[in-house]
Each structure stands twice: as C-alpha cells, then as structure tokens.
Amino acid sequence: FAGTWAPDRVGLSDTTFIAVSDDRNVVGFGEGATAQTGRIFLCCTRNYPVGGVPPQEGLVLGVSQEIAVTDLINNASERVLGLGLNRDGSLGVARGTQGAYFFTRDLRLQGQFTQGVAGGVGGAALHPDHQSVTTSDPVVTLAFIPTANQTIKIINTVHFFQSGEIPIREDVVGPLRAVRPFA
C-alpha cells in the first residue's frame, strides 16, 4: 500500500460497502457511486514479523493508490453493490450491476463472472476458508453471488466459472456473508 489519505479525493459520495479479511489485516471500502463508476480502496494492513507476534505499533495505515482503483472499476464501468475479501485479503470480489469482479490486493482485475447475475442487487462473499490467490482447492476457492432469480451462484475463484447454484426463497437485496456450518 503505497498511497496516502488525501481527504479531498477520498470522500465517499454514496452508499459505502465495507469488507474485512478474516485475519483482520485488510479492510476494503467500496463506493456505490452516484456517478457512473464506483471506487474501491484497500487499507490498513498489520505488519506481522516472522513468528506472528503483532508489533507494538499495531496497524500500518496506508491506502491503495488511486490509479489502481480507477483501473479496476473503470475497466468494468460499474457501480459497486457489494464487496468481499478472503481470509488474508489477497483476493477480493466486488459486485456490480452486471457481474462480479475478482481482484488482488493491488486492485488488479484477476477475472470476472457475468452469467445470470445481471440485475441482482445482493452483495458478494468468498468462502470463509479461502486462503490465498494461489490456492486451488475446489472446496474453498469459492465465491457466492446472488442473482435476480432467487438463487445464489457458486463461482470457482481460480477459473471463474460456475460450480453450482443454490435456490433461495427471496432475492438477496443487501450484504451477503458466507459462514461455516453450525455444529
């Protein structure tokens, strides 16, 4: 994270979506956007030394560079309707009106999924055990994207194809969270 906060350029003007990695080291902010295109920022990483003991200073603050943010969403020309991060914040998913867009910590587009999700307004979530971009476990490298047809699409986050679909009673119209099954 090389950027710094410039309050006059960071002000979020519309609905803001927040996602936190499961290890609590990365925070993502997605702007719904009153204009045609939304923005995504990643912030606040912990600086863990070898051995895993947190340093005394706590969080290392920084924000993703604006050019990377513009590149990710402007390429898709989308509004942000939902945001999700994996366990360590190395992979994120942004939900737009036309599809789901997968990105790395440097906000570079890795892939997208658009089949049957256009028109849905629910959020986006990654499997709670999704560990990193390089993981290729078909059980945990999954994302969940609601549709406008009372289903949730299950997407493989390595090859960005549909792995399954879950029927639900009503359309999801807000945030989406994936959790492990209860005991």
Side-chain angles (χ1 to χ4, degrees), residues 63-130:
V63 64
S64 51
Q65 294 184 15
E66 184 178 6
I67 188 166
V69 174
T70 302
D71 181 51
L72 172 68
I73 300 299
N74 276 354
N75 281 345
S77 190
E78 279 271 29
R79 297 183 63 205
V80 178
L81 300 176
L83 192 62
L85 294 173
N86 71 345
R87 178 181 278 182
D88 65 359
S90 61
L91 184 70
V93 58
R95 170 62 193 265
T97 58
Q98 301 300 313
Y101 306 91
F102 299 88
F103 57 92
T104 52
R105 197 177 275 195
D106 59 0
L107 294 177
R108 292 293 172 204
L109 188 63
Q110 300 302 300
Q112 61 186 13
F113 183 83
T114 58
Q115 291 178 276
V117 297
V121 293
L126 292 166
H127 191 286
D129 292 327
H130 195 298

Side-chain angles (χ1 to χ4, degrees), residues 31-71:
E31 177 184 34
T34 53
Q36 183 179 12
T37 303
R39 298 180 293 172
I40 295 175
F41 300 95
L42 293 179
C43 169
C44 312
T45 185
R46 291 182 196 230
N47 186 13
Y48 285 101
V50 177
V53 178
Q56 294 295 326
E57 68 271 6
L59 291 176
V60 175
L61 297 177
V63 64
S64 51
Q65 294 184 15
E66 184 178 6
I67 188 166
V69 174
T70 302
D71 181 51

Side-chain angles (χ1 to χ4, degrees), residues 13-30:
S13 62
D14 197 358
T15 306
T16 303
F17 301 92
I18 299 174
V20 180
S21 62
D22 286 343
D23 66 4
R24 305 285 191 240
N25 289 335
V26 179
V27 180
F29 301 91

Side-chain angles (χ1 to χ4, degrees), residues 156-181:
N156 174 297
T157 62
V158 176
H159 303 289
F160 310 105
F161 61 79
Q162 182 174 327
S163 294
E165 193 165 11
I166 304 167
I168 56 176
R169 186 181 60 167
E170 295 180 25
D171 289 335
V172 176
V173 294
L176 185 67
R177 175 104 171 134
V179 298
R180 291 172 198 85

